């Protein structure tokens, strides 16, 4: 199965599914609190896939990888919050299971927003 350049969720639990994550990135992966986050798969090697989230990468067993549609924005993108005319940066890309869509947490002026934003709430800033 070809995973490269797909986007997906990787739900696993520390203390239960530890062996699904490569030993050398396990601590960082679980510190990220990965459940619900949207990852990009960037490579495969020796039965493992490499997932990217922001600048971090993690090697995992593909067994728990569930594809979702590509989000409009990714961690680190500069965006404008349309209704507030504020410019910020995407901090988190999460998946809304019920609505089957991504939602975003944005940082503006060094502060993490408490609101979840959807694609229609944001626009890309050059």
């Amino acid at each position: 199965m070809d995973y490269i350049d797909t986007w997906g969720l990787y739900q696993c639990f520390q203390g239960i599914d530890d062996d699904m994550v490569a030993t050398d990135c396990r601590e960082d992966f679980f510190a990220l609190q990965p459940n619900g986050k949207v990852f990009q798969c960037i490579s495969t090697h020796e039965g493992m896939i490499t997932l990217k989230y922001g600048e971090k990468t993690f090697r995992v067993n593909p067994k728990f990888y569930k594809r979702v549609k590509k989000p409009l924005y990714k961690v680190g993108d500069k965006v404008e919050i349309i209704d507030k005319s504020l410019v910020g940066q995407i901090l988190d890309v999460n998946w809304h299971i019920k609505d089957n869509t991504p939602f975003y947490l944005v940082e503006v002026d060094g502060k993490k927003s408490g609101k979840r934003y959807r694609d229609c709430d944001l626009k890309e800033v050059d």
Side-chain angles (χ1 to χ4, degrees), residues 72-116:
L72 195 56
Y73 306 105
K74 61 186 182 306
V75 173
D77 284 354
K78 285 181 71 173
V79 294
E80 179 182 340
I81 301 170
I82 296 169
D83 67 348
K84 296 181 180 181
S85 296
L86 294 173
V87 174
Q89 187 173 28
I90 302 290
L91 280 182
D92 272 318
V93 180
N94 295 284
W95 195 255
H96 194 288
I97 299 293
K98 182 179 172 188
D99 294 342
N100 203 33
T101 59
F103 68 88
Y104 310 91
L105 297 179
V106 179
E107 179 183 66
V108 176
D109 294 329
K111 290 181 165 179
K112 182 177 179 178
S113 69
K115 181 178 177 183
R116 298 175 175 185

Side-chain angles (χ1 to χ4, degrees), residues 53-66:
Y53 192 80
E55 295 301 314
K56 295 186 178 199
T57 59
F58 309 98
R59 289 185 340 282
V60 299
N61 183 313
K63 181 179 178 181
F64 292 158
Y65 185 68
K66 179 185 172 199

